[in-house]
Amino acid sequence: MTHAPWPAPYSPQPLDATVTIPASKSLTNRYLVLAALADGECRLRAPLQSRDSDLMVGALRALGAVIREVPGTGSVPDLVVTPIPAGSPVDAVVDCGLAGTVMRFVPPLAALLKGPVTFDGDTAARVRPMAPIVAALQGLGVRVAGAEGGFMPFTVHGTGTVEGGHVAIDAGASSQFVSAILLVAARFSQGLHLEHTGESVPSVDHISMTVEVLRSLGVEVDDSTPKHWIVQPGPIAAFDVELEQDLSNAGPFLAAALATRGTVRIPNWPARTTQVGAKWREILPQFGATVTLEDGVLTVTGGPDILGVDIADTSELAPSTAALCALASTPSRLRGIAHLRGHETDRLAALVAEINALGGNAVETGDGLIITPAPLHGGLFRSYEDHRMATAGAIIGLAVPGVEVEDITTTNKTMPAFPRMWAAMVAQTAAAG
């Protein structure tokens, strides 16, 4: 299906807006997996409603979890989850779409059931790396059929139990490979000793999130030795949790303050969080912004100029960060993000192509990008079926008239209301003016 290009709203005046962000995709999908394995009924309050979370709900229902929508106190229904009975018989096909959390987190869970579960997804999902998950399951004695070249489609043939023990993988392509095994490891008969054999793991903040969520539910995890995680066997406690808003998805809205030299406020910002999006409080001041957190409201005000930066390990925040670099007055370098080549698209190549198509000057390095100031002009900013590419185009469009985003509906992946929210943010300023 082709979609008409989305004219990105242009704001010639500084923004002055307050924006509330939907729940975290990373937390929603982790809690959904754990709810399917918990020792009782669980409730997720104000969870994310998006394509990725819908795909996770569909996957877990296919495996035998009962998931009901019930009225909540927020603007979206809560989810009540009845766990999958241990060792349940199953014969299912799981549609992963383009959701990394589904394609990586659900196969280890399927290994605990009895029967075949086939995993497939969008065309673009068939080129996302899966070999470490397949290798980990095979190393744990689970039969996996297919996975030619380490990609979907493949079928996990569970026997009802996984013994566990020591397994070594190279998770250099994605932290999700580590999180995927850790999430279910407490249900292995002997627990798990997971060892990462590569140099470093990207997005370690996401692994820390997984470990902290597990510990909050009574799972014993020892991560005191670098590149090793030891999980003791035992129950996963039932829970009732309210989901934090998605701080990564807050990024484009915060970046909008810098792009327009204005102010954007986001209420209910957590004082302490495991989300990688917490880094915005460190990243944005380097661009020259003023950032404050008072009474739970994060306020970002852009400076007179966007300053170039030299930043490492921005992970999924990199597309929004790169958009600001393209608008900066001095050169920037983004380092430690080589793994973005295996995300929804090759984000490094995509960012270079689209920034340069608008007159920018971006080049790839071995592990990131160098972006040098250049006059930008309007034009089509392609989205590559990638939600974070689409929002990067929206950021540039605030400061550059005539930018069109190829397919804004890709934001359905984690924030279906993005086009409406973005327009409303700009409209708040217009109304105030």
Side-chain angles (χ1 to χ4, degrees):
M1 180 186 298
T2 58
H3 298 270
W6 178 71
Y10 168 63
S11 182
Q13 57 183 321
L15 290 181
D16 185 359
T18 299
V19 182
T20 300
I21 307 296
S24 163
K25 180 263 293 188
S26 296
L27 286 170
T28 296
N29 279 2
R30 280 165 173 76
Y31 276 114
L32 281 169
V33 170
L34 292 167
L37 294 171
D39 61 5
E41 186 176 86
C42 300
R43 184 165 184 151
L44 285 73
R45 297 183 183 270
L48 177 66
Q49 286 190 325
S50 72
R51 187 183 185 216
D52 272 22
S53 54
D54 288 348
L55 286 164
M56 182 63 83
V57 167
L60 298 177
R61 282 174 172 160
L63 300 188
V66 176
I67 303 177
R68 296 180 291 119
E69 288 190 351
V70 299
T73 57
S75 59
V76 299
D78 294 350
L79 294 177
V80 174
V81 183
T82 302
I84 303 168
S88 289
V90 67
D91 185 350
V93 175
V94 169
D95 175 14
C96 301
L98 194 51
T101 51
V102 179
M103 67 182 75
R104 275 82 180 256
F105 292 0
V106 181
L109 190 160
L112 290 164
L113 308 178
K114 187 177 292 187
V117 180
T118 298
F119 293 86
D120 202 357
D122 295 356
T123 301
R126 291 186 169 192
V127 297
R128 296 194 69 178
M130 290 296 299
I133 287 292
V134 174
L137 292 176
Q138 291 173 335
L140 292 165
V142 178
R143 184 164 74 91
V144 181
E148 299 300 326
F151 301 106
M152 294 193 296
F154 60 79
T155 301
V156 174
H157 293 269
T159 60
T161 60
V162 175
E163 186 172 343
H166 178 264
V167 67
I169 62 170
D170 184 347
S174 174
S175 65
Q176 289 179 345
F177 298 128
V178 174
S179 289
I181 308 297
L182 295 183
L183 283 169
V184 304
R187 297 297 302 273
F188 296 168
S189 304
Q190 296 183 17
L192 176 74
H193 174 190
L194 178 62
E195 177 182 356
H196 166 57
T197 59
E199 289 290 323
S200 61
V201 182
S203 306
V204 291
D205 299 292
H206 282 111
I207 299 174
S208 299
M209 170 190 286
T210 299
V211 169
E212 185 156 326
V213 169
L214 286 167
R215 286 174 176 159
S216 75
L217 303 182
V219 177
E220 188 177 333
V221 185
D222 180 354
D223 60 351
S224 58
T225 302
K227 301 199 290 188
H228 290 258
W229 297 265
I230 298 173
V231 181
Q232 298 300 323
I236 296 169
F239 58 84
D240 183 329
V241 66
E242 183 160 357
L243 277 300
E244 294 176 4
Q245 61 186 323
D246 195 312
L247 306 188
S248 295
N249 278 346
F253 297 91
L254 298 175
L258 285 80
T260 66
R261 281 61 168 172
T263 296
V264 172
R265 292 165 293 273
I266 296 185
N268 306 313
W269 192 277
R272 181 181 175 277
T273 180
T274 58
Q275 292 189 60
V276 67
K279 287 185 174 181
W280 286 123
R281 293 176 63 187
E282 305 165 14
I283 291 171
L284 296 177
Q286 296 181 59
F287 282 105
T290 301
V291 179
T292 61
L293 179 59
E294 294 180 6
D295 299 324
V297 179
L298 188 77
T299 301
V300 174
T301 300
D305 285 304
I306 300 174
L307 308 177
V309 297
D310 186 336
I311 301 179
D313 305 324
T314 47
S315 186
E316 65 189 38
L317 312 183
S320 291
T321 304
L324 287 176
C325 294
L327 298 173
S329 58
T330 55
S332 297
R333 179 164 190 159
L334 303 182
R335 296 176 285 109
I337 51 174
H339 63 286
L340 265 62
R341 293 186 171 100
H343 278 209
E344 282 82 342
T345 187
D346 179 341
R347 284 180 174 165
L348 299 188
L351 285 164
V352 166
E354 299 317 301
I355 289 171
N356 292 351
L358 299 183
N361 182 353
V363 296
E364 283 190 61
T365 65
D367 73 338
L369 300 171
I370 294 175
I371 301 174
T372 305
L376 300 182
H377 55 71
L380 183 67
F381 193 97
R382 292 179 297 165
S383 52
Y384 299 82
E385 300 180 63
D386 185 338
H387 58 136
R388 301 208 190 280
M389 286 298 298
T391 55
I395 294 167
I396 293 174
L398 278 174
V400 179
V403 173
E404 293 187 314
V405 175
E406 175 191 42
D407 181 9
I408 199 64
T409 67
T410 60
T411 57
N412 289 344
K413 180 175 169 63
T414 59
M415 196 163 34
F418 175 81
R420 175 181 57 77
M421 293 170 62
W422 197 255
M425 173 183 66
V426 175
Q428 279 185 52
T429 302

